[in-house]
Amino acid sequence: MTNEHLLFETGTNTSEKLIVIGGMHGNEHSGVEAMQRVIGHLKHKDNSVKGKVYFILGNLEALRRNERFIDIDLNRIWSEKFLNNGNSPYDIKELKEIHRLIEDICQGRYDNCTLLDLHTFSAESGIFCIPAENEKSEALAQYYGVPFIEKLASALPETALNYYGEKGMRSVVFEGGRHNTVEATDNLERAIWITLQYLNFIDRKDFPFIDRMKKELEEISRPFPHRLEMVYHHRLKDWHHYKMNEGYYNFKKIREGEDVARQNDRIVRSPYGGFMLMPLYQKKGSDGFFIVQERKTSKN
Ligand SMILES: [Zn+2]
C-alpha cells in the first residue's frame, strides 16, 4: 500500500485491524511523536503483533506549517458532501487521500476495524476520550481509565470519529493533553499501547509496561469524574471575535450563569452548571467550549 499518509504498517494478516491517526490537526504534534515511539518498538517485533496496525499521518502541510489547518478544518469535513467536492481547497485533498487509504485498509468491512484518532487541546489540563455513539466504542473508551464523554460525538458531526462510527467501526478520539507537551505525547503513547492490549493484538508478557501505563492514566484522571455526558456545545461562526476568560481547563467546575467568555464584546454565560470541556484558547477553531455533566445512572 503506498500513500504519503501511511507512516507505518505492521502485524500479521488477520481480519482485525487498528488504524491510528496522528496530526489530523497540524498544530498537534504529540500524536505523531507518540506513533513514532510505538513504531520504534513494534518495528523489531513484527510477528508478535496479532492483527494489522496502520499508523496514519493527518494534515501533512498543516503539520509542516504547525497550523491547525490550511483553509478548512480537516476534522470537520468528514461527510459525503466534502468527499464529493470538486473544487478542492488543500485540506479537502487531504481528506480524500486519507479516506482512500482507510477504504483500502477496510475493504468495505468496518466491523473488524478500530479507529484511534489522537488529539491534544489548547487548555491547561484534563485528559479525556470521546467514543463514537455505539456500544463497542463506549466499551473501549471506558477501558482507558480516563474520563470519557458520551453524546459528544454527534455534536461533532463531520469528524472522522463520527463518520466511521456511523459505519459501525469501533472509534475513539483520545485527547492526550495540552498541545506539544511531553505529558500529551506520553499519554497518547499510553493510549496506543492500551488499545493494542485491549484488542489482544499483543501479549502482556512481551510488553509488561502496559499495565503500568494504564495505572498512570488512572492516576492522572483520579480527580475527575469517569463517565460524563455533553449537555451544551457553544458553537462559533467566527472565532476572531471570541475570547475565553482566563483560567478554564477541562473538568473545571462551572456554575449556571457563570461569565465564561467574551464574544463580539458581549458576555457569554454558561447556560448550565457542570464541568468545562475544551475551552478554546487558540486562534483557530469553531467550538468555543462544551459543558459536560457527570453521568451516574446506568444506561437504560
Ligand atoms: Zn485536534
Side-chain angles (χ1 to χ4, degrees):
M1 216 177 285
T2 55
N3 185 305
E4 225 191 325
H5 291 270
L6 184 60
L7 188 61
F8 186 68
E9 63 174 289
T10 188
T12 46
N13 239 337
T14 65
S15 58
E16 287 292 320
K17 295 157 190 166
L18 170 63
I19 298 163
V20 185
I21 302 181
M24 182 84 88
H25 291 131
N27 59 329
E28 301 179 11
H29 295 267
S30 291
V32 178
E33 287 162 17
M35 293 198 299
Q36 282 161 340
R37 286 192 197 167
V38 176
I39 291 166
H41 281 266
L42 295 182
K43 248 182 189 158
H44 309 290
K45 299 205 176 193
D46 207 36
N47 292 325
S48 63
V49 181
K50 300 183 283 292
K52 282 294 258 179
V53 189
Y54 302 86
F55 293 92
I56 294 178
L57 292 168
N59 197 326
L60 299 176
E61 183 58 23
L63 279 166
R64 278 190 281 269
R65 294 190 198 177
N66 194 28
E67 293 267 342
R68 185 173 169 90
F69 51 82
I70 304 301
D71 298 310
I72 182 169
D73 190 332
L74 175 57
N75 205 27
R76 295 291 185 276
I77 53 176
W78 286 81
S79 65
E80 300 309 323
K81 184 179 97 193
F82 288 103
L83 283 164
N84 298 318
N85 183 303
N87 53 351
S88 296
Y90 175 81
D91 312 271
I92 294 180
K93 289 199 193 87
E94 294 286 76
L95 167 75
K96 290 177 179 176
E97 288 272 299
I98 300 168
H99 178 262
R100 188 169 55 81
L101 176 58
I102 295 178
E103 292 306 298
D104 285 349
I105 291 167
C106 294
Q107 302 277 326
R109 271 194 73 182
Y110 302 97
D111 60 313
N112 55 2
C113 290
T114 297
L115 175 71
L116 175 62
D117 189 10
L118 306 173
H119 287 262
T120 52
F121 45 75
S122 57
E124 276 292 332
S125 68
I127 66 171
F128 61 98
C129 66
I130 313 167
E133 290 179 27
N134 59 54
E135 264 177 40
K136 56 187 177 179
S137 302
E138 285 165 10
L140 171 58
Q142 191 154 14
Y143 183 72
Y144 295 111
V146 305
F148 69 103
I149 322 293
E150 296 176 321
K151 299 186 183 171
L152 180 53
S154 59
L156 308 166
E158 293 179 317
T159 54
L161 172 76
N162 215 46
Y163 180 81
Y164 287 109
E166 283 182 354
K167 289 183 186 291
M169 203 187 282
R170 181 190 290 110
S171 310
V172 170
V173 158
F174 200 100
E175 296 274 356
R178 193 172 190 198
H179 298 323
N180 309 316
T181 55
V182 180
E183 292 78 19
T185 305
D186 288 347
N187 290 332
L188 293 175
E189 183 189 359
R190 290 167 177 140
I192 300 171
W193 287 115
I194 292 167
T195 309
L196 287 165
Q197 185 187 64
Y198 180 83
L199 296 171
N200 289 317
F201 278 21
I202 51 179
D203 210 318
R204 258 197 165 79
K205 62 181 189 312
D206 296 332
F207 301 92
F209 53 84
I210 300 177
D211 287 337
R212 189 198 74 224
M213 287 182 161
K214 192 155 185 293
K215 287 204 182 76
E216 286 163 349
L217 285 188
E218 285 165 0
E219 193 53 43
I220 292 166
S221 305
R222 198 177 300 283
F224 308 114
H226 185 214
R227 182 179 194 174
L228 302 110
E229 64 184 4
M230 196 272 291
V231 294
Y232 178 72
H233 176 194
H234 192 75
R235 198 186 290 263
L236 305 175
K237 285 203 181 78
D238 179 355
W239 63 80
H240 295 110
H241 301 286
Y242 182 79
K243 191 170 185 304
M244 283 301 304
N245 295 349
E246 292 304 315
Y248 287 106
Y249 50 86
N250 291 320
F251 310 114
K252 185 174 200 278
K253 274 202 174 122
I254 50 172
R255 296 180 325 273
E256 184 182 336
E258 186 167 322
D259 169 358
V260 295
R262 291 290 176 281
Q263 189 169 354
N264 298 319
D265 296 324
R266 287 206 195 102
I267 293 174
V268 178
R269 293 188 187 279
S270 166
Y272 301 97
F275 299 94
M276 176 61 78
L277 192 74
M278 286 195 274
L280 183 72
Y281 286 113
Q282 59 193 2
K283 281 184 290 184
K284 288 179 174 178
S286 53
D287 309 306
F289 66 94
F290 296 82
I291 301 171
V292 294
Q293 293 178 345
E294 189 166 9
R295 185 162 180 163
K296 287 197 173 102
T297 51
S298 62
K299 257 187 134 180
N300 50 25

